[in-house]
Structures are given as C-alpha cells and as structure tokens.
Amino acid sequence: MHADTPYEITPTTPYSHPADHPTVVRQPVILPAEIPPGVDWVTLPNGVRTLAYTHPTPPAAAPAGQPIPAWAKTTALLAPTVGGGIAAAGIGLSYAAPGLIAMSHALWSAAALLVAAVTAVPLLLRGTRRAANGGSGGSGTTHITQNITAGGMFGRANGTINHR
C-alpha cells in the first residue's frame, strides 16, 4: 500500500471462462462521509457502479460581457481631469481670496465715488451759475412752454415753443 493512498485499490483479475466469475462480489460498505475528495460513484459502460477518481468539472465560462461604449470610456477618462481642474480652481481661489476681497472693496469705493460725482457736479454747477448771475434766483431762470395741437387721429401735429 502506498503512503499517499488511504485505500488499497486492487484490480480485478481477468477471467477466461464465464463460469470462473464469482456469483456474488462482496464490496465493503463505504459511507458518503468516508469518500475522499476527488473520488465519486461512477457507472461503467457495463452497468456496474463503482468508486473512481474523477476530474473536477471546470467552472462554467462567464457569459461574454457587452462592449463598453466609447462615450462611457471618454466620460470615465474626463472625470478625473474635470475634478482636478475644479480642485485647482478652488485652490487658486483660496490663494486669491484676500486680493479678491480687496478688489471688491475698491470697486464699491469707485462706484460710490461715481455716484457722488454724478449727484455733486450738477449741484456745484447750479451754485456757480447763481453766483455768476448775481445770486438772485428769479433773474437767471428761463421758462419754456410748448403747445402742440393735432387734428384727428392721424392728423399732422403743429406746435409752438415760447421762451419767457
């Protein structure tokens, strides 16, 4: 008996005459728990069931998957690039934040200066005109009146302008 084989395997002897066959072959009873791995019950072509070494059945081949569309590959390749660009922009804005805050304050100051100039310049001009006209409010003003008349819905309009 070999050291690796837990059971002794003896081949049957060929019989030359059918009368030489034993009528009853007594085989030892083996429980299913005692059958070693790689050994299983098989049925021979002559109908006899016996234990034999079997080859493990190969696993079933996985079904072939669908090819990945080109747009999915492109999207997958662009995703890290877009994410990296957003990250770089965020880092750049974090470094530029103090300068951006200062520029926004300067822009608000410039806007306030522009609004002040738009309102102050006419007031200053009005004050200088009064001073140039002698300071009187009534003599330097001119009244303009306009009268427009039209006859009918699509008639021609006529008007007069009076300076006083």
Side-chain angles (χ1 to χ4, degrees), residues 82-104:
V82 171
I86 292 171
I91 291 170
L93 285 175
S94 69
Y95 282 124
L100 291 174
I101 291 170
M103 284 193 308
S104 70

Side-chain angles (χ1 to χ4, degrees), residues 111-127:
L113 181 64
L114 183 65
V115 169
V118 167
T119 55
V121 167
L123 293 175
L124 289 174
L125 289 176
R126 186 175 298 161

Side-chain angles (χ1 to χ4, degrees), residues 25 32 35 82 84 136 145 156:
V25 177
I35 297 175
V82 171
S136 62
T145 59
R156 191 170 192 182

Side-chain angles (χ1 to χ4, degrees), residues 17-129:
H17 192 274
D20 292 338
H21 287 289
T23 57
V24 175
V25 177
R26 298 214 171 217
Q27 294 183 351
V29 176
I30 298 177
L31 298 174
E34 295 177 352
I35 297 175
V39 176
D40 199 3
W41 286 101
V42 294
T43 304
L44 298 176
N46 62 0
V48 176
R49 286 187 48 122
T50 184
L51 289 173
Y53 288 104
T54 58
H55 297 290
T57 58
Q66 297 289 332
I68 299 173
W71 65 266
K73 290 180 185 178
T74 304
T75 303
L77 291 173
L78 282 177
T81 306
V82 171
I86 292 171
I91 291 170
L93 285 175
S94 69
Y95 282 124
L100 291 174
I101 291 170
M103 284 193 308
S104 70
H105 288 301
L107 285 174
W108 280 114
S109 299
L113 181 64
L114 183 65
V115 169
V118 167
T119 55
V121 167
L123 293 175
L124 289 174
L125 289 176
R126 186 175 298 161
T128 56
R129 274 195 201 156

